[in-house]
Amino acid sequence: YRITRVALTALLRQLDAPARITRPTSGAATLRPRIDALVESWDDEVASELFSPNVDGDLPRDRRRSDVAAAVALVGGLAGPAYDVVAHAPSRLVWWRPGATGRLRVEAWLTPELPQRVQLLDVRGVPDPDAALVSAADRIAGSLLAPEPVWPYDIARAPSVALEPLLVEAQRAVAVGAVGSLDQRPTAASSAYDATFEVRGAEARSALSVAIDASSGEVTSCRLVVSGDEWPTSTRTDPVDVVEG
């Protein structure tokens, strides 16, 4: 599979072939701002209009309401409109909202019925990382995702951080083309000192999760996971600009 993928990717790049476009449904374009409004100011009547019956079965309404409020609070409140709106599929959208001290990730999957309704809603707060955490993650990524992976000599790590699994996964990252620069905006975080960063390579990507001690800067936890990238010819279009065709 890897050999054929590399060959096909090289051929498409040489031919400058047009990319496949993911076209969001018109329902997705209509519902996204309504979901944003619900996240900003929760209204049970609006939620009942938007949600399919399974949503409250997946997570009780009271719990979902409190989880959304906690995610918004984690980033210091919302501070602007949606950005980086991506359609992973015609009825699956992911977007970000800026906060005062972080950013909010919102993901919505819609039902195939007409009119469409929300069948999955995931709202997560990602607080801004501390500068020391970003610096440590950047150094670790640079040293591990190298032709000869090593732990950076100037980054202290706790005895609980096992080096061997990191080196094994780093070697795999190099082998499958998951090597690149660290995106300093975390994709997930539980605090300013514990976050997951993405490293996107030419053919795959890596997720680097790092936690440090707030006072000493010592790395207390570190995990590297390599995953396959999306099909290289696919692109996504903001649903504001493209409607169902």
Side-chain angles (χ1 to χ4, degrees):
Y1 174 81
R2 173 170 161 72
I3 292 174
T4 57
R5 176 175 175 139
V6 169
L8 179 58
T9 300
L11 176 62
L12 293 173
R13 286 175 178 164
Q14 181 177 350
L15 296 177
D16 194 22
R20 175 179 60 83
I21 298 175
T22 299
R23 296 185 179 275
T25 64
S26 56
T30 300
L31 288 178
R32 192 198 60 74
R34 296 189 65 194
I35 295 169
D36 260 343
L38 180 66
V39 170
E40 291 175 8
S41 180
W42 191 275
D43 186 317
D44 277 331
E45 290 188 7
V46 173
S48 296
E49 292 176 3
L50 295 177
F51 293 169
S52 63
N54 72 283
V55 174
D56 287 337
D58 296 339
L59 187 68
R61 179 74 63 86
D62 290 346
R63 172 67 182 279
R64 187 178 299 278
R65 185 192 307 113
S66 64
D67 283 357
V68 169
V72 173
L74 186 62
V75 300
L78 297 176
Y83 68 95
D84 285 352
V85 182
V86 171
H88 288 278
S91 294
R92 178 191 171 196
L93 300 180
V94 175
W95 66 95
W96 294 88
R97 295 287 305 273
T101 58
R103 57 183 186 153
L104 198 71
R105 181 185 185 275
V106 184
E107 179 174 0
W109 295 44
L110 308 182
T111 61
E113 63 188 351
L114 292 175
Q116 290 188 288
R117 304 176 76 185
V118 176
Q119 67 175 339
L120 180 148
L121 179 63
D122 184 64
V123 181
R124 301 184 185 184
V126 182
D128 288 332
D130 186 83
L133 176 64
V134 175
S135 177
D138 195 46
R139 288 283 295 114
I140 293 169
S143 292
L144 287 181
L145 301 177
E148 296 184 5
V150 294
W151 182 267
Y153 70 92
D154 55 343
I155 300 293
R157 72 178 191 275
S160 58
V161 179
L163 184 56
E164 187 61 29
L166 284 171
L167 295 179
V168 169
E169 191 70 358
Q171 290 168 351
R172 178 169 173 261
V174 173
V176 301
V179 176
S181 58
L182 182 90
D183 186 342
Q184 298 188 353
R185 301 175 304 171
T187 57
S190 58
S191 74
Y193 301 96
D194 185 349
T196 298
F197 302 85
E198 185 177 74
V199 178
R200 185 171 289 273
E203 299 173 41
R205 61 187 183 276
S206 307
L208 179 65
S209 300
V210 180
I212 65 171
D213 182 88
S215 57
S216 67
E218 180 184 60
V219 174
T220 57
S221 175
C222 187
R223 184 172 182 236
L224 180 67
V225 177
V226 177
S227 59
D229 205 354
E230 295 85 359
W231 185 244
T233 60
S234 67
T235 61
R236 300 153 189 143
T237 304
D238 191 314
V240 171
D241 299 324
V242 179
V243 297
E244 184 177 12

